[in-house]
Amino acid sequence: MKKHNIMEELCEEYIEKSDEHEINIEKDSKVLKNTLDMDIRENIPPQLISIVAGVVNIIEILEKGEE
Amino acid sequence: MKITSFLNTLKLNETKKENVKINSDKKESGFDSLSMEKTNENLKIYKTLKDNNVEPTKEMIEEIKIGFDKLDGAFNQKIESLDMLLKKDIEVSEKNFQIIHNSLNTKVDYNKLFEVLSKYGENEEINYDELLNKLGFSKKVISEFIINLSKNMTVIDNLMSIINNDFINELTEVDKENINKIVDGNENVDDKTFELKVDEMLNEFEKTVNEVIDELKNDVPIEVIDLVNSSNFRMFLVETTTKEMNEVKNEFDNFKKENLNLIDNTLSLPDGNKNVDKKINALEKVINNFENIIMKSDITLYTTMKQEKELINMTSKLEVAKEYLEKNDFSEAKEVLKEVKKELDKIDFKPKDVKVKAFMKKEANKILFGEKNNFKDIYNTFSKKNKGVRDTLEVLRATGVNHDSEIAQKIEKSDFNKFQMNNLKNAVLDIMKFNEGKVSNELKNTVNNITGNQFQNKLEVKSNVQQMHFSIPYELNSKIKSLDLYVNSKKENEKMDWKNSTLYFVVNLKNYGKTGIRISSTNKVVNMNIKNDSDEFKNNSYKLFNSFLDELSEEGFIRGKVTYAKYLDENIEGNIKKDLGINENKNGFDVRI
């Protein structure tokens, strides 16, 4: 329970600061705390993104009907 | 709100029962002890809780059922939402339940969303204040110019009226000179020094700036063309671009210097067990630096795809060197490190023309229209063709899945400079902020849907396996389509392990119908299994997928095979489902992890 409360307090601080600087952030601390440890730049290595890029490029070629 | 009270019970129970081992044989007897009716629903909820290491109580199950009543959809979909919340360690509150349930069962309609965003951004007024300021005019000229705007004057008449007015004495020499240049169509200007400076600066980006100005002439109202065409505006664009490119080049040079030094230090440390940890730590720092350069810095926003691939390949090689060190194989590690050092030494930052142009145009739009038209940049990010790694990462970021964590990181560092978040969540939140009370439910649902996607990709702290789902937008004939991606990967240092991952793409292709592409990397060996029912599909895609496998082997993967199967081939489908934990639903081959 303590861990969750600390996270919520931190999120409330983020919300306050974002208001001060007129930046958009999720305004419900209970929701916000579940979105913070998701950073695709940190969690996914470039090698995997490279696979995604390759597939998207092939899909686009196939969609256009080019070989 | 009852579910929220359930949440507290749940969390307490979770702590208490952390070490409870679930014995499948005892499941039924466990359920029997709850004295509940043995319905299919009760049993399924019970099992979902147990599967997620939560010891169920009768009260919990009752409250979850009340929560379920408030959600749309079939019972199994609600179970799936409950399972996802528990798996991701998210509180089972009513709001979180709604968010995850909606995002699992509805997709963001990108076309509709862009329609709405363009409606809100329809009144595109030129930001004269900012534009004239950047063109070098004083406050006096700017304020008079804005007053004159209400008199429906052209830019030229407006400036003429300022220079011919009684307050000409209040204008600076620069003002007069600037006005004359614009009024005279940038000709007959005496200031040779200024012109030489422009010439000198234009040299490097002359072609780019001309192209950008030509495109802008079609985008801006006719009365602004004279300002956009002025030498001052051109110079502003060139100056801004030169500054940015110089900064990025410096960043790259520093990155190179720091990492060459780190590699040198690692190589110079004597071999032997004593220094293994030191060497590994240094290498981890270098790997981290490489990943940051590729994923976070401005550098890869401008590099060519070839350079991007070289950087990824070096990162993969550094990981190989680290593996050798972990096995105390110093000589092999040294060989790989020397190779990386040589390659890094050779590489120089050279921005790609098309990326420089995109930057220049973005800066021009910022000055002309302000920051409010970001959705156009988002659309351009989605519709860009032949994407590299960084481009693809930018597509994912533009969907908004990274929004809150990036904002929090900026707030942590009190970094409020150069702050521009170009993503759909930000764009919609902006509209909601400025149109409070007048925003459609559709927009509110979109924000919740994006938040639900963020929930789905939350790091699974307790598990050694990481699962994620993305909807990846791309453009086809001026419409945005999307591709579903399900990733299942081993976790290594809170990161997905590229060497051991499975990616499953599902898309409905215009010419070939439903297509599933399963790509697995097992100890770096990449195999592709492609499922489609169209007769021509294999012929038309075989070369593409095979060349793609070749390309991947240039980035550290080991080439495996490409195989094809029918989309509805039950055996293969069954195997894939088993691999990824996919549940079949009424749509046939929709996949969920």
Side-chain angles (χ1 to χ4, degrees):
Chain A
M1 291 297 289
K2 209 175 173 189
K3 187 182 130 200
H4 285 283
N5 288 339
I6 290 170
M7 268 311 280
E8 270 169 39
E9 275 171 31
L10 184 67
C11 287
E12 270 151 28
E13 268 178 47
Y14 289 148
I15 294 167
E16 212 174 286
K17 286 249 171 76
S18 69
D19 283 343
E20 267 172 43
H21 293 273
E22 296 182 345
I23 305 162
N24 297 318
I25 198 169
E26 174 65 55
K27 298 290 181 210
D28 182 337
S29 58
K30 285 192 164 74
V31 174
L32 178 61
K33 71 178 184 186
N34 293 307
T35 63
L36 294 184
D37 64 359
M38 147 80 199
D39 184 349
I40 40 178
R41 301 170 307 169
E42 292 280 348
N43 308 144
I44 311 182
Q47 290 88 346
L48 283 189
I49 302 275
S50 182
I51 293 185
V52 181
V55 171
V56 173
N57 290 337
I58 292 177
I59 294 292
E60 288 185 337
I61 294 171
L62 291 170
E63 285 277 36
K64 277 199 285 177
E66 293 168 13
E67 199 179 330
Chain B
M1 292 307 290
K2 276 213 152 189
I3 298 275
T4 314
S5 68
F6 151 70
L7 149 81
N8 297 326
T9 326
L10 170 67
K11 290 291 163 193
L12 287 171
N13 270 347
E14 217 179 354
T15 329
K16 275 189 212 163
K17 303 288 178 184
E18 219 163 37
N19 297 319
V20 172
K21 275 216 162 192
I22 301 159
N23 182 335
S24 56
D25 296 339
K26 288 185 181 170
K27 272 184 188 169
E28 290 307 299
S29 63
F31 182 83
D32 286 345
S33 70
L34 298 180
S35 318
M36 291 186 85
E37 200 186 340
K38 222 171 183 173
T39 61
N40 193 25
E41 291 191 357
N42 287 344
L43 280 166
K44 274 194 176 171
I45 295 172
Y46 178 87
K47 188 179 179 303
T48 310
L49 291 168
K50 280 289 233 184
D51 286 349
N52 285 287
N53 287 337
V54 178
E55 194 55 33
T57 63
K58 186 178 177 180
E59 190 201 6
M60 262 185 216
I61 296 176
E62 299 287 357
E63 287 185 7
I64 287 173
K65 279 163 72 182
I66 296 170
F68 274 14
D69 287 343
K70 295 180 183 171
L71 302 174
D72 294 330
F75 180 78
N76 279 349
Q77 290 171 317
K78 296 173 189 178
I79 282 284
E80 213 178 292
S81 305
L82 174 67
D83 187 47
M84 181 66 83
L85 282 181
L86 295 170
K87 208 170 259 158
K88 297 282 178 183
D89 200 24
I90 296 173
E91 282 179 355
V92 192
S93 69
E94 191 177 329
K95 188 168 181 185
N96 289 345
F97 221 146
Q98 283 283 1
I99 287 174
I100 201 87
H101 188 71
N102 288 344
S103 80
L104 281 170
N105 296 292
T106 47
K107 278 185 170 188
V108 176
D109 184 335
Y110 292 111
N111 294 305
K112 227 175 187 177
L113 184 55
F114 278 116
E115 239 173 65
V116 177
L117 290 173
S118 66
K119 197 179 85 191
Y120 280 97
E122 213 160 60
N123 299 321
E124 286 179 8
E125 283 172 11
I126 297 290
N127 187 354
Y128 283 104
D129 211 327
E130 183 72 0
L131 175 59
L132 294 169
N133 179 30
K134 294 289 183 210
L135 293 181
F137 286 107
S138 67
K139 280 186 180 157
K140 181 70 190 165
V141 174
I142 297 173
S143 67
E144 288 304 321
F145 189 94
I146 289 170
I147 292 168
N148 286 343
L149 279 178
S150 59
K151 297 173 191 162
N152 283 335
M153 287 180 175
T154 64
V155 165
I156 303 291
D157 287 348
N158 195 330
L159 291 173
M160 291 281 279
S161 111
I162 293 170
I163 208 163
N164 293 329
N165 216 315
D166 292 342
F167 49 76
I168 186 161
N169 293 334
E170 293 175 48
L171 302 184
T172 65
E173 284 311 307
V174 176
D175 279 335
K176 291 176 202 164
E177 193 182 288
N178 283 340
I179 292 176
N180 280 330
K181 267 191 286 170
I182 292 168
V183 170
D184 296 347
N186 302 321
E187 286 168 14
N188 309 320
V189 184
D190 286 337
D191 188 350
K192 294 289 175 212
T193 327
F194 174 82
E195 287 305 312
L196 275 174
K197 197 177 166 195
V198 174
D199 281 349
E200 197 180 293
M201 295 199 71
L202 283 185
N203 249 346
E204 191 179 356
F205 296 118
E206 191 173 8
K207 188 171 158 267
T208 317
V209 81
N210 285 338
E211 282 172 10
V212 169
I213 298 287
D214 281 347
E215 285 176 24
L216 285 173
K217 282 181 191 167
N218 295 323
D219 297 343
V220 297
I222 194 157
E223 64 270 18
V224 195
I225 289 178
D226 287 323
L227 290 178
V228 165
N229 209 20
S230 68
S231 56
N232 275 18
F233 191 68
R234 283 166 193 266
M235 190 153 116
F236 160 76
L237 289 183
V238 172
E239 262 176 356
T240 312
T241 309
T242 308
K243 188 171 170 264
E244 172 77 3
M245 294 309 139
N246 285 342
E247 276 176 17
V248 176
K249 190 181 177 333
N250 283 342
E251 197 185 344
F252 187 76
D253 290 345
N254 290 337
F255 157 79
K256 222 174 119 168
K257 200 172 151 196
E258 185 195 345
N259 290 289
L260 283 172
N261 279 340
L262 278 168
I263 294 173
D264 267 339
N265 291 345
T266 315
L267 284 168
S268 63
L269 274 174
D271 295 339
N273 290 342
K274 217 175 89 185
N275 289 320
V276 171
D277 287 346
K278 270 189 198 166
K279 283 177 185 255
I280 289 177
N281 288 343
L283 269 195
E284 277 174 353
K285 190 166 190 297
V286 181
I287 292 169
N288 196 36
N289 287 345
F290 267 78
E291 285 182 342
N292 279 344
I293 278 291
I294 299 165
M295 307 291 269
K296 288 186 178 174
S297 77
D298 283 354
I299 292 166
T300 40
L301 290 177
Y302 305 112
T303 47
T304 59
M305 269 167 83
K306 186 174 167 274
Q307 282 190 333
E308 195 181 67
K309 276 178 189 294
E310 284 168 353
L311 288 169
I312 295 173
N313 193 18
M314 283 185 243
T315 316
S316 301
K317 282 183 181 168
L318 288 164
E319 288 195 36
V320 171
K322 192 184 138 196
E323 283 166 20
Y324 280 128
L325 284 178
E326 282 164 349
K327 288 187 248 170
N328 284 346
D329 192 339
F330 298 103
S331 66
E332 286 292 344
K334 222 175 237 176
E335 282 312 304
V336 178
L337 281 179
K338 280 181 187 166
E339 218 177 286
V340 174
K341 193 187 153 192
K342 208 171 150 191
E343 286 167 17
L344 181 60
D345 205 23
K346 238 172 38 189
I347 194 168
D348 270 320
F349 174 73
K350 174 96 181 71
K352 197 177 173 185
D353 288 349
V354 67
K355 293 186 176 180
V356 173
K357 185 180 161 190
F359 170 81
M360 202 183 260
K361 193 157 181 203
K362 204 163 149 185
E363 289 301 303
N365 277 324
K366 231 195 283 180
I367 300 307
L368 290 164
F369 301 107
E371 304 270 343
K372 64 184 176 182
N373 287 296
N374 286 351
F375 72 92
K376 280 186 183 167
D377 285 335
I378 300 172
Y379 187 91
N380 291 338
T381 304
F382 290 170
S383 58
K384 191 174 179 187
K385 302 293 171 215
N386 200 20
K387 297 180 190 83
V389 167
R390 187 54 188 267
D391 300 323
T392 305
L393 178 71
E394 294 309 310
V395 169
L396 294 173
R397 286 179 72 215
T399 61
V401 289
N402 237 29
H403 178 77
D404 298 299
S405 63
E406 285 190 39
I407 294 283
Q409 287 168 36
K410 296 251 183 200
I411 292 173
E412 263 317 319
K413 291 181 197 155
S414 297
D415 169 18
F416 299 106
N417 292 327
K418 213 180 170 187
F419 207 110
Q420 200 184 351
M421 296 296 289
N422 271 344
N423 65 66
L424 287 174
K425 186 163 184 176
N426 195 41
V428 177
L429 286 173
D430 249 349
I431 290 176
M432 286 166 75
K433 188 162 70 185
F434 296 119
N435 299 275
E436 216 178 327
K438 288 180 276 176
V439 177
S440 66
N441 279 337
E442 215 172 357
L443 274 183
K444 287 178 194 161
N445 288 340
T446 303
V447 168
N448 279 342
N449 216 324
I450 296 169
T451 307
N453 288 336
Q454 292 173 295
F455 281 9
Q456 285 188 57
N457 295 319
K458 187 174 185 275
L459 208 66
E460 288 171 45
V461 187
K462 290 177 188 166
S463 166
N464 288 327
V465 175
Q466 182 64 43
Q467 297 176 331
M468 288 189 174
H469 167 233
F470 298 99
S471 166
I472 305 172
Y474 64 95
E475 188 242 11
L476 175 71
N477 301 330
S478 308
K479 290 269 173 219
I480 301 292
K481 284 187 74 175
S482 67
L483 167 72
D484 275 311
L485 164 63
Y486 299 85
V487 190
N488 195 343
S489 169
K490 272 193 182 170
K491 219 167 60 179
E492 201 185 35
N493 304 324
E494 300 309 309
K495 198 182 269 269
M496 289 189 148
D497 175 10
W498 61 275
K499 301 178 284 301
N500 292 289
S501 292
T502 304
L503 289 85
Y504 206 95
F505 299 86
V506 183
V507 65
N508 197 351
L509 296 172
K510 188 185 68 169
N511 298 324
Y512 307 100
K514 282 191 175 177
T515 308
I517 302 160
R518 178 188 184 278
I519 301 182
S520 66
S521 165
T522 313
N523 296 323
K524 294 187 209 171
V525 180
V526 186
N527 285 297
M528 297 185 187
N529 179 248
I530 298 141
K531 290 154 58 74
N532 183 282
D533 290 334
S534 154
D535 293 335
E536 305 92 51
F537 184 78
K538 186 175 175 182
N539 279 343
N540 294 344
S541 66
Y542 188 77
K543 267 192 207 161
L544 292 169
F545 282 110
N546 270 286
S547 329
F548 176 38
L549 262 190
D550 289 336
E551 280 170 31
L552 286 177
S553 58
E554 290 164 20
E555 291 173 20
F557 289 102
I558 300 165
R559 198 188 195 290
K561 282 183 197 162
V562 180
T563 52
Y564 282 81
K566 286 282 178 200
Y567 187 80
L568 295 174
D569 182 320
E570 281 181 17
N571 288 333
I572 289 173
E573 190 174 336
N575 287 338
I576 290 163
K577 281 181 192 166
K578 209 172 145 192
D579 268 3
L580 290 179
I582 296 164
N583 297 321
E584 193 169 17
N585 71 11
K586 62 180 188 315
N587 297 326
F589 201 71
D590 195 4
V591 280
R592 301 260 185 252
I593 290 172

